[in-house]
Amino acid sequence: MTDAQLVAQAQNGDLPAFEELVKKYQREIYGLACRMVSDPEEAKDLAQQAFMQAFIHIRSFRQDAQFRTWLFRIAINQCYNFLKNRKKFGDPVNCDEVVLVGEGDSPEEELVTQDERRRVYAALEKLPPKQQAVLTLKVEQGLSYQEISEVLGGTPGAARVNYCQALKTLKKNMKSEEEDEVAMRTSPAVATRVPRG
Amino acid sequence: MKWQCALLQRWLPEYPEGDLPAFWKGRLKAHLDRCPACRAEQAALREVVEAIASAPKGDPGPEFWTDFSREMHLKLVRAAQAGQMAPARSVWWGRIPYLVGAPALAALLLWVAVGYLNPERPGLTPPPQVAKSAAPAVTAPPAAIAKQESATPARKLAAAPQAPAELGESQNFVNVARNSGDEAFPEEDLDDLDSTLAGMTTQEREAFLKKLSQHEKDGSCLTRYSAISSA
């Protein structure tokens, strides 16, 4: 059954149809929230909130846009609100909380891979929320610039520029993360005094 | 960095297999062939993209998704039972400001356009001279008006719009003016008849009034009178 049919049924109050949509998109929405807030528990709550918002307002959804992009927009707004509050009330995030899936053959390789990933996560976390969203939507969800502009607002051209800018900033952040790690390895005394993150 | 590099690097993340117009693809290819800095930048950006792609989000496992689905189901059932689903918003609801505003704006523009194209339209700009000359007739007592009527019959014409009850003979006078005469009567003479008559001798005034009464077929006198009376 297509999204449009499921949405039409859900708009008529068919709960199983909406649950079908939830099952279809729960991984993507959870992944997006995970990337945005770097906290699996919060990401789960945010994903559920996003689905609840979508359910409550499903009748006002017109089939002009894709349900998927509409859902992304809701989820990203939830994440923005969360990040705004976190910034306001200062809840520190430990990026070690993110569950990492081991794919390396040996423990050494896995350790290196995990270090590499941690570096990426830390660098991603330093990006502004909009750039995080653009990167996630483009690289992980594979949305086009047109779809990204529908999710985040603005034009496809602006989305492209934002994506390019995000990549450049991420490159800088990753470099500085690498330099920090090298510095901490070379001077363990500093590493004990200055906690990471 | 050259300006050309800065311009082309905006498209670098899409090169070579991305969503890139053919024009930019050609330019980028030519530029990358001869610019090592941009080649390095492209390689670095590609590394970043690969790093993101190779650092997948943690898969929480099947238990997590079972819990997730169960929790979602409970929340959705609760919301549905509580009737939290917002009603469908009509398509027309969002268009109400346009539906109301557009006709109102059109009417306003029409009114302004008509006012400008036809400045003599009653209600928009009353002739100031008529208002000035009509004012004493309104405030004057009936006895004074009667005296004025007997003294200067032409004054009645100017006073007529503001005091239609006291018209009497002046109405007949205007009718005579409408029904007599062959020549066109100058309109500006009627605007301030008092001042015109004041500058004449008795003989001239009599001749003028006689001429006025002889204009039977001339409509200008009546037209002006109508404009004055409606104002």
Side-chain angles (χ1 to χ4, degrees):
Chain A
M1 205 175 276
T2 62
D3 278 5
Q5 288 168 330
L6 288 170
V7 167
Q9 286 182 9
Q11 283 175 332
N12 291 327
D14 187 355
L15 201 57
F18 189 80
E19 283 184 309
E20 192 70 30
L21 287 167
V22 172
K23 271 184 192 157
K24 195 170 176 182
Y25 293 114
Q26 60 189 11
R27 282 169 201 274
E28 287 183 4
I29 296 298
Y30 172 76
L32 177 71
C34 231
R35 272 280 195 244
M36 295 280 293
V37 302
S38 306
D39 185 338
E41 275 306 307
E42 291 294 350
K44 182 184 168 188
D45 284 351
L46 288 169
Q48 289 184 344
Q49 281 173 27
F51 282 118
M52 286 305 295
Q53 287 297 315
F55 178 67
I56 288 167
H57 298 287
I58 188 83
R59 283 178 179 155
S60 63
F61 171 70
R62 296 197 299 270
Q63 304 269 2
D64 312 345
Q66 286 181 52
F67 177 74
R68 186 176 175 231
T69 52
W70 185 65
L71 201 55
F72 275 137
R73 193 159 66 220
I74 293 174
I76 280 176
N77 285 337
Q78 295 284 335
C79 292
Y80 281 168
N81 289 340
F82 172 80
L83 290 171
K84 210 189 291 172
N85 287 336
R86 190 167 74 181
K87 198 177 173 186
K88 199 172 168 183
F89 299 113
D91 180 19
V93 175
N94 182 7
C95 52
D96 291 342
E97 283 178 19
V98 179
V99 183
L100 301 170
V101 185
E103 286 170 0
D105 296 330
S106 65
E108 290 85 15
E109 274 181 23
E110 196 172 314
L111 205 65
V112 170
T113 315
Q114 284 204 2
D115 271 353
E116 184 72 21
R117 283 177 187 164
R118 199 167 283 125
R119 201 156 57 87
V120 175
Y121 290 138
L124 269 170
E125 207 182 298
K126 285 181 185 169
L127 287 178
K130 194 159 188 176
Q131 292 189 357
Q132 279 186 32
V134 169
L135 275 182
T136 310
L137 293 173
K138 179 73 184 162
V139 179
E140 293 184 347
Q141 313 295 345
L143 264 63
S144 66
Y145 291 126
Q146 177 65 42
E147 287 169 328
I148 292 172
S149 68
E150 281 170 21
V151 174
L152 298 176
T155 60
R160 185 178 51 76
V161 170
N162 219 344
Y163 172 64
C164 188
Q165 194 60 44
L167 279 182
K168 284 184 176 178
T169 316
L170 188 65
K171 190 183 79 177
K172 260 187 217 167
N173 290 351
M174 282 171 70
K175 200 173 176 184
S176 71
E177 282 289 321
E178 201 174 348
E179 284 168 3
D180 285 353
E181 254 177 45
V182 170
M184 282 205 269
R185 273 181 201 150
T186 50
S187 58
V190 176
T192 50
R193 280 205 306 273
V194 183
R196 240 184 109 249
Chain B
M1 186 192 289
K2 289 177 188 171
W3 66 269
Q4 208 175 6
C5 296
L7 183 71
L8 290 169
Q9 279 185 10
R10 293 177 185 177
W11 298 93
L12 268 185
E14 295 303 309
Y15 186 80
E17 63 271 333
D19 180 16
L20 196 62
F23 169 77
W24 287 107
K25 200 177 261 186
R27 283 197 70 177
L28 265 173
K29 190 178 182 309
H31 182 77
L32 285 173
D33 284 345
R34 63 172 188 271
C35 180
C38 284
R39 270 202 304 275
E41 179 72 11
Q42 191 209 6
L45 291 181
R46 188 171 281 184
E47 262 180 38
V48 171
V49 173
E50 278 168 10
I52 301 169
S54 65
K57 304 163 295 291
D59 184 12
E63 279 180 21
F64 174 88
W65 292 117
T66 313
D67 283 352
F68 187 93
S69 297
R70 198 179 59 243
E71 284 173 26
M72 265 320 298
H73 176 73
L74 288 173
K75 284 182 181 177
L76 289 171
V77 168
R78 228 174 284 149
Q81 282 174 350
Q84 286 182 355
M85 276 177 87
R89 203 174 56 174
S90 168
V91 177
W92 293 100
W93 186 252
R95 295 179 188 166
I96 280 178
Y98 300 101
L99 292 172
V100 172
L105 186 67
L108 183 70
L109 287 173
L110 192 69
W111 185 77
V112 170
V114 167
Y116 272 101
L117 290 175
N118 183 14
E120 291 184 2
R121 185 170 171 261
L124 274 180
T125 49
Q129 290 176 339
V130 170
K132 203 175 18 176
S133 64
V138 174
T139 52
I145 291 170
K147 209 181 279 179
Q148 283 174 1
E149 278 174 8
S150 61
T152 54
R155 181 183 284 274
K156 293 172 212 163
L157 189 59
Q162 297 299 326
E166 289 92 21
L167 275 177
E169 289 177 11
S170 66
Q171 184 66 50
N172 294 333
F173 180 78
V174 172
N175 287 339
V176 167
R178 186 185 55 185
N179 297 327
S180 64
D182 298 322
E183 298 169 24
F185 197 77
E187 279 188 9
E188 53 272 15
D189 286 350
L190 283 172
D191 280 337
D192 199 350
L193 207 51
D194 282 350
S195 59
T196 309
L197 290 171
M200 294 178 180
T201 60
T202 314
Q203 287 179 345
E204 282 174 343
R205 193 182 298 167
E206 280 175 5
F208 177 77
L209 292 173
K210 200 176 177 182
K211 198 175 173 186
L212 183 66
S213 66
Q214 282 174 355
H215 283 77
E216 280 185 339
K217 292 176 186 175
D218 184 14
S220 64
C221 180
L222 182 65
T223 309
R224 173 58 69 181
Y225 174 69
S226 304
I228 292 166
S229 61
S230 62

